[in-house]
Amino acid sequence: MKISAAENWSKCYQVELDGVDFKSNARNRIAMGLLHLSLEHHQSIINLAKCNLLGSLFALLRCQFEALLRGIWFLRCASDSNIEKFVANKNLDLVVSSLIEDVEKTEGYQHGALKRYKAGKWKAMNDYTHGGFFQVASRTAGDEISGRNLSEHLSWALTESNKLSLLAILDLCQIIERPELSKNLSATYFEYIEESP
Protein backbone atom coordinates (compact mmCIF):
# COMPACT_ATOMS: atom_id res chain seq x y z
CA MET A 1 0.00 0.00 0.00
CA LYS A 2 1.44 3.34 -1.07
CA ILE A 3 1.08 6.39 1.14
CA SER A 4 -0.26 8.33 -1.87
CA ALA A 5 -3.15 5.88 -2.33
CA ALA A 6 -4.15 6.19 1.34
CA GLU A 7 -3.87 9.96 1.08
CA ASN A 8 -6.02 10.09 -2.08
CA TRP A 9 -8.65 7.91 -0.41
CA SER A 10 -8.65 10.16 2.66
CA LYS A 11 -8.99 13.34 0.58
CA CYS A 12 -11.85 11.78 -1.38
CA TYR A 13 -13.99 10.94 1.64
CA GLN A 14 -13.18 14.25 3.33
CA VAL A 15 -14.50 16.16 0.32
CA GLU A 16 -17.66 14.04 0.18
CA LEU A 17 -18.41 14.24 3.91
CA ASP A 18 -17.46 17.84 4.64
CA GLY A 19 -20.50 19.74 5.89
CA VAL A 20 -23.02 16.90 5.68
CA ASP A 21 -26.14 17.21 7.84
CA PHE A 22 -27.63 14.55 10.06
CA LYS A 23 -30.61 14.11 12.36
CA SER A 24 -29.30 15.48 15.62
CA ASN A 25 -30.05 13.34 18.65
CA ALA A 26 -27.79 12.07 21.41
CA ARG A 27 -27.23 8.64 19.82
CA ASN A 28 -26.31 10.08 16.44
CA ARG A 29 -24.08 12.80 17.91
CA ILE A 30 -22.12 10.29 20.01
CA ALA A 31 -21.76 7.81 17.15
CA MET A 32 -20.86 10.56 14.68
CA GLY A 33 -18.25 12.01 17.05
CA LEU A 34 -16.58 8.63 17.55
CA LEU A 35 -16.66 7.68 13.87
CA HIS A 36 -15.25 11.09 12.97
CA LEU A 37 -12.51 10.55 15.57
CA SER A 38 -11.69 7.21 13.95
CA LEU A 39 -11.37 8.96 10.58
CA GLU A 40 -9.17 11.64 12.14
CA HIS A 41 -6.88 8.89 13.43
CA HIS A 42 -6.77 7.50 9.87
CA GLN A 43 -5.69 10.90 8.55
CA SER A 44 -3.12 11.20 11.34
CA ILE A 45 -1.72 7.77 10.49
CA ILE A 46 -1.22 8.91 6.90
CA ASN A 47 0.54 12.09 8.03
CA LEU A 48 2.76 10.14 10.42
CA ALA A 49 3.68 7.81 7.55
CA LYS A 50 4.66 10.80 5.42
CA CYS A 51 6.91 12.02 8.27
CA ASN A 52 8.32 8.51 8.87
CA LEU A 53 7.08 8.55 12.50
CA LEU A 54 6.13 4.91 12.40
CA GLY A 55 6.06 4.04 16.11
CA SER A 56 3.36 6.65 16.70
CA LEU A 57 1.58 5.53 13.54
CA PHE A 58 1.35 1.96 14.83
CA ALA A 59 0.17 3.15 18.24
CA LEU A 60 -2.74 5.02 16.64
CA LEU A 61 -4.13 1.87 14.99
CA ARG A 62 -5.61 0.72 18.29
CA CYS A 63 -7.09 4.17 18.90
CA GLN A 64 -8.62 4.14 15.43
CA PHE A 65 -10.07 0.66 15.96
CA GLU A 66 -11.53 1.48 19.37
CA ALA A 67 -13.10 4.77 18.23
CA LEU A 68 -14.65 2.91 15.29
CA LEU A 69 -15.94 0.08 17.47
CA ARG A 70 -17.41 2.43 20.06
CA GLY A 71 -19.04 4.54 17.35
CA ILE A 72 -20.69 1.50 15.78
CA TRP A 73 -21.77 0.21 19.20
CA PHE A 74 -23.33 3.52 20.27
CA LEU A 75 -25.16 3.75 16.95
CA ARG A 76 -26.41 0.18 16.77
CA CYS A 77 -26.39 -1.35 20.24
CA ALA A 78 -26.30 1.11 23.13
CA SER A 79 -29.39 1.30 25.31
CA ASP A 80 -31.02 4.64 26.07
CA SER A 81 -29.54 4.29 29.55
CA ASN A 82 -26.03 3.87 28.06
CA ILE A 83 -26.59 7.01 25.99
CA GLU A 84 -27.78 8.97 29.03
CA LYS A 85 -24.76 7.85 31.07
CA PHE A 86 -22.36 8.84 28.29
CA VAL A 87 -23.98 12.26 27.87
CA ALA A 88 -23.80 12.76 31.65
CA ASN A 89 -20.10 11.79 31.53
CA LYS A 90 -20.73 8.83 33.85
CA ASN A 91 -18.58 5.72 33.77
CA LEU A 92 -19.54 3.10 31.20
CA ASP A 93 -17.68 -0.20 31.27
CA LEU A 94 -16.98 -0.46 27.54
CA VAL A 95 -15.02 -3.70 27.25
CA VAL A 96 -13.82 -4.29 23.70
CA SER A 97 -14.80 -7.97 23.54
CA SER A 98 -18.32 -7.17 24.82
CA LEU A 99 -18.73 -4.36 22.30
CA ILE A 100 -17.67 -6.71 19.52
CA GLU A 101 -20.11 -9.38 20.71
CA ASP A 102 -22.98 -6.86 20.64
CA VAL A 103 -22.03 -5.34 17.27
CA GLU A 104 -21.69 -8.77 15.67
CA LYS A 105 -25.40 -9.36 16.31
CA THR A 106 -26.25 -6.46 13.98
CA GLU A 107 -26.72 -6.35 10.22
CA GLY A 108 -23.51 -6.56 8.24
CA TYR A 109 -21.36 -7.75 11.12
CA GLN A 110 -22.71 -11.25 11.85
CA HIS A 111 -19.80 -12.92 10.02
CA GLY A 112 -17.38 -12.54 12.95
CA ALA A 113 -14.83 -10.29 11.21
CA LEU A 114 -14.44 -7.95 14.17
CA LYS A 115 -13.76 -10.84 16.54
CA ARG A 116 -11.19 -12.26 14.12
CA TYR A 117 -9.66 -8.82 13.65
CA LYS A 118 -9.21 -8.41 17.39
CA ALA A 119 -7.88 -11.96 17.82
CA GLY A 120 -5.26 -11.47 15.13
CA LYS A 121 -4.11 -7.93 15.90
CA TRP A 122 -5.03 -6.94 19.45
CA LYS A 123 -1.81 -8.06 21.16
CA ALA A 124 0.36 -6.16 18.69
CA MET A 125 -1.90 -3.07 18.81
CA ASN A 126 -1.67 -3.02 22.62
CA ASP A 127 2.08 -3.49 22.48
CA TYR A 128 2.59 -0.62 20.06
CA THR A 129 0.21 1.64 22.00
CA HIS A 130 1.74 0.96 25.40
CA GLY A 131 5.42 0.84 24.41
CA GLY A 132 5.91 -2.90 24.68
CA PHE A 133 8.33 -5.40 23.20
CA PHE A 134 7.48 -4.77 19.53
CA GLN A 135 8.01 -1.01 19.84
CA VAL A 136 11.40 -1.52 21.48
CA ALA A 137 12.60 -4.47 19.39
CA SER A 138 11.66 -2.76 16.13
CA ARG A 139 13.88 0.24 16.84
CA THR A 140 17.05 -1.44 18.08
CA ALA A 141 19.50 -3.67 16.24
CA GLY A 142 22.38 -4.86 18.39
CA ASP A 143 23.83 -1.70 19.87
CA GLU A 144 22.23 0.64 17.30
CA ILE A 145 18.97 2.55 17.30
CA SER A 146 17.09 2.01 14.05
CA GLY A 147 13.52 2.22 12.80
CA ARG A 148 14.09 -0.09 9.85
CA ASN A 149 11.94 -2.92 11.15
CA LEU A 150 8.94 -0.63 11.50
CA SER A 151 9.19 0.55 7.88
CA GLU A 152 8.91 -3.07 6.72
CA HIS A 153 5.38 -3.11 8.13
CA LEU A 154 4.23 0.29 6.88
CA SER A 155 2.19 -1.10 3.99
CA TRP A 156 0.35 -3.44 6.36
CA ALA A 157 -0.45 -0.61 8.79
CA LEU A 158 -1.78 1.65 6.01
CA THR A 159 -3.92 -1.18 4.65
CA GLU A 160 -5.38 -1.86 8.11
CA SER A 161 -6.05 1.82 8.74
CA ASN A 162 -7.75 2.16 5.35
CA LYS A 163 -10.01 -0.83 6.10
CA LEU A 164 -11.04 0.71 9.41
CA SER A 165 -11.74 4.04 7.71
CA LEU A 166 -14.08 2.35 5.24
CA LEU A 167 -16.03 0.71 8.06
CA ALA A 168 -16.37 4.10 9.79
CA ILE A 169 -17.68 5.65 6.59
CA LEU A 170 -20.28 2.93 6.07
CA ASP A 171 -21.91 3.62 9.43
CA LEU A 172 -21.41 7.37 9.09
CA CYS A 173 -23.42 7.20 5.86
CA GLN A 174 -26.15 5.43 7.82
CA ILE A 175 -26.30 8.34 10.26
CA ILE A 176 -26.55 10.92 7.46
CA GLU A 177 -29.07 8.67 5.66
CA ARG A 178 -27.13 8.64 2.39
CA PRO A 179 -26.91 5.01 1.20
CA GLU A 180 -25.93 6.14 -2.31
CA LEU A 181 -22.90 7.96 -0.90
CA SER A 182 -21.96 4.79 0.97
CA LYS A 183 -22.00 2.85 -2.32
CA ASN A 184 -20.04 5.54 -4.17
CA LEU A 185 -17.37 5.84 -1.48
CA SER A 186 -17.07 2.04 -1.22
CA ALA A 187 -16.49 1.84 -4.97
CA THR A 188 -13.90 4.64 -4.77
CA TYR A 189 -12.16 2.89 -1.87
CA PHE A 190 -11.76 -0.32 -3.88
CA GLU A 191 -10.48 1.63 -6.88
CA TYR A 192 -7.71 3.16 -4.77
CA ILE A 193 -6.89 -0.13 -3.06
CA GLU A 194 -6.75 -2.09 -6.33
CA GLU A 195 -4.49 0.53 -7.91
CA SER A 196 -2.03 0.43 -5.01
CA PRO A 197 0.03 -2.75 -4.57
Side-chain angles (χ1 to χ4, degrees), residues 25-37 66-75 77-95 99:
N25 58 48
R27 180 179 302 276
N28 283 348
R29 281 193 308 276
I30 294 166
M32 179 67 81
L34 289 162
L35 295 170
H36 188 269
L37 174 61
E66 285 195 80
L68 165 71
L69 181 60
R70 287 177 179 213
I72 295 170
W73 185 81
F74 272 106
L75 180 64
C77 307
S79 67
D80 290 342
S81 172
N82 295 140
I83 299 290
E84 289 168 13
K85 282 182 181 176
F86 188 88
V87 169
N89 198 22
K90 293 187 178 172
N91 189 36
L92 278 172
D93 193 20
L94 301 177
V95 177
L99 299 180

Side-chain angles (χ1 to χ4, degrees), residues 133-191:
F133 173 79
F134 294 126
Q135 278 283 27
V136 173
S138 65
R139 49 186 76 245
T140 58
D143 59 355
E144 290 182 20
I145 295 175
S146 168
R148 288 186 296 264
N149 292 331
L150 283 174
S151 61
E152 294 171 7
H153 303 289
L154 176 60
S155 178
W156 173 84
L158 287 173
T159 299
E160 294 306 312
S161 184
N162 287 333
K163 287 177 191 175
L164 296 174
S165 71
L166 177 62
L167 293 178
I169 285 167
L170 295 178
D171 271 36
L172 199 142
C173 285
Q174 254 190 295
I175 296 170
I176 64 174
E177 299 175 354
R178 299 266 310 272
E180 76 288 349
L181 182 58
S182 176
K183 288 178 187 172
N184 292 343
L185 285 172
S186 294
T188 301
Y189 169 84
F190 288 108
E191 284 174 25

Side-chain angles (χ1 to χ4, degrees), residues 97-146:
S97 56
S98 298
L99 299 180
I100 289 172
E101 189 175 313
D102 290 347
V103 168
E104 288 193 337
K105 293 175 185 169
T106 67
E107 184 180 346
Y109 283 97
Q110 299 98 338
H111 43 72
L114 291 174
K115 191 177 291 179
R116 287 190 304 277
Y117 189 89
K118 180 182 180 266
K121 297 169 180 68
W122 191 245
K123 185 176 185 332
M125 283 195 286
N126 286 334
D127 187 283
Y128 282 119
T129 301
H130 299 299
F133 173 79
F134 294 126
Q135 278 283 27
V136 173
S138 65
R139 49 186 76 245
T140 58
D143 59 355
E144 290 182 20
I145 295 175
S146 168

Side-chain angles (χ1 to χ4, degrees), residues 19-85:
V20 295
D21 294 326
F22 64 97
K23 192 180 300 180
S24 183
N25 58 48
R27 180 179 302 276
N28 283 348
R29 281 193 308 276
I30 294 166
M32 179 67 81
L34 289 162
L35 295 170
H36 188 269
L37 174 61
S38 183
L39 292 175
E40 182 177 307
H41 289 323
H42 175 247
Q43 293 154 23
S44 296
I45 284 169
I46 294 166
N47 285 322
L48 289 166
K50 288 166 58 177
C51 295
N52 204 34
L53 297 171
L54 304 184
S56 298
L57 177 157
F58 278 96
L60 269 183
L61 270 177
R62 176 182 163 176
C63 299
Q64 184 185 2
F65 175 71
E66 285 195 80
L68 165 71
L69 181 60
R70 287 177 179 213
I72 295 170
W73 185 81
F74 272 106
L75 180 64
R76 296 169 174 237
C77 307
S79 67
D80 290 342
S81 172
N82 295 140
I83 299 290
E84 289 168 13
K85 282 182 181 176

